[in-house]
């Protein structure tokens, strides 16, 4: 018979940006959560994060260990040990200097032989916009859930908020969805009826 056992060391990365989109020359943060989900202590833990070459750096802090740049766009944090279920955090303040979509990737590692490595890294994209357009905000989504079906017409969903413009686009889990602009406080988008079950991230981006 098959028997499941929890991995001895299982390092996981959670990487988030404090805002998206962000106006050019406006500071924002990368917030990093690092955890050992295994059953034994991970030693000599290293966290590395790569950044877009167009950002400038502000304050960098870590809840344990030390951080320094191994090159112009790569941060390396020596975290030491992470006991089972222990969590460390890293906060990186940056300022984007160019209008474009920037990406950052975080990777957590140790000398341990991990059977699960898919959660050891995460990449995030952030849209940097010109100051001429407002930064959109979402106040509500209607409907905020629907029943998954095998076949059928796309589900039409309404987004209420502020700062929408004619070329605003809705992104679900980082993927652009068909978007219809109604006015500066309402836009619509559609989702396939067979969308996977679970929670999905919805953001609005302006050009």
């Amino acid at each position: 018979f098959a028997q499941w056992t929890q991995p001895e060391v299982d390092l996981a990365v959670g990487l988030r940006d404090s805002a998206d989109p962000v106006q050019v020359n406006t500071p924002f943060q990368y917030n990093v959560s690092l955890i050992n989900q295994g059953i034994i202590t991970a030693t000599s833990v290293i966290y590395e994060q790569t950044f877009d070459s167009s950002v400038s750096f502000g304050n960098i802090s870590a809840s344990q260990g030390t951080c320094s740049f191994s090159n112009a766009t790569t941060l390396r944090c020596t975290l030491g040990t992470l006991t089972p279920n222990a969590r460390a955090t890293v906060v990186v303040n940056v300022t984007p200097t160019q209008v474009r979509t920037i990406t950052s990737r975080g990777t957590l590692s140790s000398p341990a032989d991990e059977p699960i490595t898919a959660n050891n890294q995460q990449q995030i994209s952030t849209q940097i916009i010109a100051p001429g357009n407002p930064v959109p905000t979402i106040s509500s989504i209607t409907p905020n859930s629907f029943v998954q079906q095998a076949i059928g017409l796309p589900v039409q969903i309404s987004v209420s908020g502020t700062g929408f413009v004619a070329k605003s686009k809705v992104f679900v889990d980082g993927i652009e969805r068909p978007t219809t602009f109604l006015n500066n406080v309402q836009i619509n988008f559609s989702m396939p009826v067979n969308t996977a079950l679970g929670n999905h991230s919805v953001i609005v981006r302006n050009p």
Side-chain angles (χ1 to χ4, degrees), residues 5-206:
T5 58
Q6 187 173 358
E8 292 185 343
V9 171
D10 181 16
L11 300 176
V13 176
L15 175 59
R16 300 288 184 270
D17 49 13
S18 61
D20 185 11
V22 179
Q23 287 189 358
V24 67
N25 296 318
T26 301
F28 73 98
Q29 289 182 340
Y30 287 110
N31 298 298
V32 190
S33 178
L34 311 165
I35 187 171
N36 176 14
Q37 300 176 145
I39 60 174
I40 69 170
T41 297
T43 61
S44 302
V45 177
I46 300 293
Y47 175 69
E48 288 190 324
Q49 186 171 344
T50 58
F51 302 89
D52 189 272
S53 60
S54 67
V55 303
S56 61
F57 295 94
N59 184 61
I60 298 170
S61 62
S63 60
Q64 66 183 69
T66 59
C67 297
S68 61
F69 283 90
S70 58
N71 59 51
T73 58
T74 302
L75 180 70
R76 180 181 174 90
C77 298
T78 304
L79 303 177
T81 62
L82 282 178
T83 57
N85 296 314
R87 187 183 302 271
T89 58
V90 177
V91 178
V92 183
N93 290 272
V94 299
T95 300
T97 62
Q98 296 181 18
V99 176
R100 64 190 196 190
T101 298
I102 62 175
T103 60
S104 183
R105 178 184 293 271
T107 304
L108 188 61
S109 63
S110 78
D113 184 17
E114 290 186 64
I116 301 173
T117 58
N119 55 359
N120 285 40
Q121 61 181 336
Q122 185 174 356
Q123 179 171 299
I124 189 170
S125 296
T126 308
Q127 186 187 27
I128 310 305
I129 63 174
N133 283 329
V135 175
T137 63
I138 296 175
S139 58
S140 65
I141 299 175
T142 307
N144 60 10
S145 65
F146 61 89
V147 177
Q148 182 191 51
Q149 301 179 42
I151 57 174
L153 295 174
V155 179
Q156 300 299 314
I157 300 174
S158 176
V159 179
S160 297
T162 61
F164 303 150
V165 297
K167 293 186 178 181
S168 294
K169 297 294 183 182
V170 173
F171 288 76
V172 178
D173 296 334
I175 299 174
E176 183 179 332
R177 301 301 312 162
T179 305
T180 301
F181 172 78
L182 299 179
N183 52 56
N184 67 332
V185 296
Q186 186 176 9
I187 55 178
N188 292 344
F189 71 100
S190 62
M191 290 291 291
V193 293
N194 61 350
T195 297
L197 298 175
N199 296 319
H200 299 275
S201 170
V202 178
I203 64 172
V204 177
R205 291 176 172 173
N206 284 348

